[in-house]
Amino acid sequence: VTTQDLKFQPFTNYIEIMGKVDADQNTNVSTEIPGTLIKIHVIVGQNVTVGQTIGEIDNSVSIVAVNELKQQLEFAKTLYEKQKNLWEQKIGSELQYLNAKNNYESLQKRLATTNQQLGMARIKAPVSGVIDDIYVKTGQTVAPGMPCFRIVNFNKLKIKAELAESFAGKIKEGNQVKLFFPDLKLETEGKVSYSSRVIDPVNRAFKIEIPLATNPDYKPNMLAKIKIVNYYSEKSIVVPVNTVRTVGEESYVLVAETKNGKLRATKKIVTFVNTYNGMTEITSGLAEGDKLITVGYQE
């Protein structure tokens, strides 16, 4: 028989769930217009900034259209200026002047629209980050909605997870959490920055988010074990869970007490609520200094 002197100690009960790493800016980039991809300006792993051109669609037709419109615009401008001078000298009709003006302004708008379409032939980075993947090749036909590049900003990573509805009243923004990354064998700490206020009607769960410090080893979709404090007591009597025996509705442990000068095993009725990691917090039935029988209590 082996005994253990009981002492007050802190006891923490955690909720353990699995989450995954995600990036605030993890974006699939596609083209705005259909066409043939003629240039790729980046490689996988390259850093890019917002607005940087990362690919180009064949825009030869648009270039020809722009050049034609420029010629037409120059001619229309000349006619307009001449007609304007004549009208100011009260020569010619007002209708001729208005037609020349309307034609000139119409061509200006058409040229601006065509230039805008010309700019849409350039695939630009919507966010700053790293080119994580390139899905297309030069010469391939692409279209809006078709992923061409993936850009990830690794400076703003977070963990996303879902918890059962039963924990909705216990998990709040600011809760301290422990994070463990099985693939990295790394443990760190964090805080809940967001707790959803809406319960998903399908799986009866709500979402939480935990920001991560910058670490080049973190990768989007990497799994992480999240331990959230569910209960904490600074001063508790804690015993190994296997020393607590339950018969019917009664739970008890065996302690060694001195009787007539000899140590004897004594049954003590206990109550408990929280159990975590093989340890149980005893809320009544035991006191500091009791000698808990930890080996031989089954004999």
Side-chain angles (χ1 to χ4, degrees), residues 180-199:
F180 177 70
F181 298 87
D183 295 335
L184 302 177
K185 302 292 187 282
L186 173 66
E187 188 172 59
T188 184
E189 294 184 351
K191 284 186 178 181
V192 176
S193 64
Y194 172 74
S195 177
S196 174
R197 289 162 177 76
V198 178
I199 304 296

Side-chain angles (χ1 to χ4, degrees), residues 66 74 119 143 163 190 263:
V66 166
E74 284 297 321
L163 281 85
L263 284 175

Side-chain angles (χ1 to χ4, degrees), residues 231-268:
Y231 169 82
Y232 175 75
S233 173
E234 187 175 351
K235 192 175 180 182
S236 297
I237 297 293
V238 180
V239 302
V241 66
N242 57 356
T243 61
V244 181
R245 315 303 301 277
T246 300
V247 178
E249 297 182 356
E250 186 179 79
S251 297
Y252 66 91
V253 297
L254 295 179
V255 298
E257 291 186 342
T258 302
K259 292 183 179 179
N260 299 323
K262 294 182 179 181
L263 284 175
R264 295 184 179 274
T266 302
K267 177 180 176 182
K268 287 212 170 185

Side-chain angles (χ1 to χ4, degrees), residues 14 20 95 131 134 173 177 209 233 260 283:
Y14 293 94
K20 69 175 183 178
L95 183 61
I131 300 294
I134 299 175
E173 295 175 8
V177 298
E209 293 182 2
S233 173
N260 299 323
T283 54

Side-chain angles (χ1 to χ4, degrees), residues 19-130:
K20 69 175 183 178
V21 178
D22 193 16
D24 273 344
Q25 297 177 334
N26 183 0
T27 308
N28 282 328
V29 185
S30 64
T31 178
E32 294 183 85
I33 58 173
T36 302
L37 187 67
I38 58 173
K39 287 184 181 179
I40 295 176
H41 294 286
V42 293
I43 59 174
V44 173
Q46 180 177 334
N47 288 302
V48 295
T49 56
V50 175
Q52 180 176 336
T53 299
I54 57 180
E56 287 186 43
I57 307 298
D58 182 11
N59 57 0
S60 54
V61 175
S62 296
I63 291 175
V64 171
V66 166
N67 291 332
E68 290 179 352
L69 283 172
K70 284 181 178 179
Q71 291 178 353
Q72 294 176 23
L73 186 63
E74 284 297 321
F75 180 65
K77 181 180 180 182
T78 301
L79 286 180
Y80 165 66
E81 290 176 346
K82 288 185 176 181
Q83 198 65 47
K84 182 181 179 183
N85 289 333
L86 289 173
W87 176 244
E88 289 174 348
Q89 297 173 33
K90 305 300 181 182
I91 302 174
S93 68
E94 183 181 8
L95 183 61
Q96 289 175 314
Y97 164 68
L98 292 176
N99 279 335
K101 180 182 179 183
N102 179 68
N103 188 42
Y104 174 56
E105 292 177 348
S106 177
L107 285 172
Q108 281 183 312
K109 292 178 181 178
R110 284 177 57 190
L111 180 60
T113 301
T114 308
N115 277 326
Q116 187 176 6
Q117 292 175 343
L118 196 64
M120 292 168 67
R122 295 177 178 271
I123 304 175
K124 298 181 179 181
V127 297
S128 297
V130 176

